[in-house]
Amino acid sequence: MEQTNDIFLLERLKQNDHKAFNLIYDMYWEKLFAFCFKLTGSKDFTSEIIQIIFVQLWEKRDEIEISNLKSYLFQSVKYQFFSFYKKDKIQSITLLSDIEDYLIDNINEEHPEILNSLKRALDKLPDKRKEILLLSKYQNMSVHEISLLLEISPQTVRNQVSKALIQLRDIMSKGFVVFIYIKLTF
């Protein structure tokens, strides 16, 4: 249903229909903002990126061929984000941390090459650290629950999750950001 609605709105948009543009904006801005904020960690950069995307959508409405509006908008966020990164508007440490968090939280079977790389990186973690990270990120257990289950202090749980994420970031940052930029479809 959403795809059919998007096609209709895109047709209306090409006919300079401001209402169609406003509907597209209303339907997607919040999702795009949340997605972009996860990447940037900055409301200012996020607002700027979202504004650029919608301005470009309106200005290029006659030129661009869009088969899937949702994919187009999310891809646009990704490209604008990397454009900001290339211009050094977004710090590389933030980029690696946010990509790492995004991958760990959202990795799925649709991206087997990324999933395999993440699994290889996880295999390099010490067993206990890996177990704690998996309980935290994949089982959604709280620090308190993990500490009770493994009979360790809550601070040890926090430390191990933090160390695991740092270690994964180090492993994956060696050439992995370029791979993500080319391969990852958000």
Side-chain angles (χ1 to χ4, degrees):
M1 181 69 178
E2 184 177 289
Q3 181 69 13
T4 304
N5 201 18
D6 287 353
I7 292 169
F8 173 76
L9 289 173
L10 285 168
E11 289 172 8
R12 299 295 309 155
L13 182 67
K14 285 187 180 229
Q15 296 170 8
N16 302 322
D17 186 336
H18 291 273
K19 288 181 182 177
F21 177 80
N22 289 337
L23 283 171
I24 292 169
Y25 181 86
D26 290 342
M27 286 171 51
Y28 287 105
W29 84 266
E30 194 170 356
K31 293 173 190 168
L32 294 171
F33 191 93
F35 172 71
C36 189
F37 185 76
K38 272 188 164 182
L39 296 173
T40 67
S42 164
K43 288 183 181 180
D44 292 337
F45 286 136
T46 297
S47 294
E48 191 174 343
I49 288 171
I50 301 305
Q51 181 178 357
I52 289 168
I53 289 166
F54 281 107
V55 167
Q56 287 177 348
L57 179 66
W58 178 256
E59 289 177 347
K60 296 181 180 183
R61 65 190 175 280
D62 296 330
E63 305 165 22
I64 53 178
E65 291 297 321
I66 302 172
S67 59
N68 184 320
L69 180 60
K70 184 177 181 179
S71 292
Y72 173 83
L73 292 171
F74 279 88
Q75 288 286 357
S76 295
V77 167
K78 181 180 79 169
Y79 292 128
Q80 282 300 322
F81 170 74
F82 281 108
S83 174
F84 272 50
Y85 174 70
K86 285 180 188 176
K87 294 175 186 171
D88 287 330
K89 289 186 174 184
I90 297 172
Q91 299 295 319
S92 60
I93 292 171
T94 302
L95 171 67
L96 290 174
S97 175
D98 290 342
I99 286 178
E100 159 213 299
D101 289 344
Y102 179 83
L103 285 174
I104 290 171
D105 292 340
N106 297 291
I107 199 73
N108 58 45
E109 302 300 326
E110 294 176 25
H111 305 287
E113 60 280 343
I114 297 171
L115 186 59
N116 289 335
S117 295
L118 183 60
K119 284 180 182 176
R120 284 193 300 274
L122 284 169
D123 287 341
K124 293 180 181 180
L125 296 176
D127 290 338
K128 197 58 140 180
R129 187 172 294 163
K130 177 180 173 183
E131 179 184 15
I132 292 169
L133 179 68
L134 293 175
L135 289 171
S136 172
K137 293 293 184 178
Y138 292 108
Q139 299 297 323
N140 294 318
M141 292 179 69
S142 70
V143 169
H144 180 71
E145 291 170 329
I146 296 169
S147 72
L148 290 175
L149 176 69
L150 300 179
E151 298 178 347
I152 56 177
S153 75
Q155 188 58 46
T156 300
V157 173
R158 284 187 209 91
N159 291 344
Q160 289 300 309
V161 169
S162 177
K163 287 177 182 179
L165 293 174
I166 290 168
Q167 193 173 350
L168 283 178
R169 182 184 311 131
D170 290 343
I171 293 167
M172 293 188 319
S173 69
K174 295 177 174 83
F176 198 58
V177 170
V178 173
F179 175 73
I180 292 168
Y181 177 71
I182 294 168
K183 287 286 202 170
L184 188 57
T185 305
F186 290 102

